[in-house]
Amino acid sequence: MPQYQTWEEFSRAAEKLYLADPMKARVVLKYRHSDGSLCIKVTDDLVCLVYRTDQAQDVKKIEKFHSQLMRLMVAKEARSVAMETD
């Protein structure tokens, strides 16, 4: 399970993993209050990408990335449903 040290590397790899097979990709966010760390994990059951941080500035980056993935997921669903109804 590769754990990335830089946000840029992780976000590129995670987006690539999601776009390769959107139906299998999962995203998990985990916050541990005891040590103040936030972990984001993206997996497709074959590859698991992890990024951990305890920096407050990274939280905004993670939030933006997570919302971008959610928009991609909704857009894909909307297109496939629209294609099925035609």
Side-chain angles (χ1 to χ4, degrees):
M1 176 166 36
Q3 185 168 341
Y4 288 86
Q5 301 300 320
T6 65
W7 172 252
E8 290 76 21
E9 289 177 5
F10 173 79
S11 63
R12 272 186 261 129
E15 188 172 358
K16 189 183 222 183
L17 182 69
Y18 171 76
L19 292 174
D21 192 359
M23 294 304 290
K24 288 190 176 187
R26 294 191 315 266
V27 179
V28 178
L29 285 170
K30 187 192 306 185
Y31 176 71
R32 291 189 55 191
H33 182 70
S34 61
D35 58 354
S37 69
L38 181 66
C39 174
I40 183 169
K41 179 166 64 169
V42 180
T43 184
D44 68 352
D45 292 331
L46 298 175
V47 178
C48 184
L49 310 173
V50 179
Y51 179 75
R52 297 180 199 273
T53 186
D54 58 358
Q55 302 296 313
Q57 63 190 7
D58 287 341
V59 174
K60 203 61 157 165
K61 292 177 187 175
I62 291 172
E63 182 182 8
K64 184 177 176 183
F65 177 74
H66 193 254
S67 65
Q68 179 184 3
L69 280 180
M70 292 299 129
R71 277 194 300 273
L72 282 172
M73 290 176 189
V74 170
K76 292 272 187 193
E77 290 294 319
R79 274 186 255 146
S80 65
V81 169
M83 289 170 55
E84 291 174 3
T85 58
D86 288 343

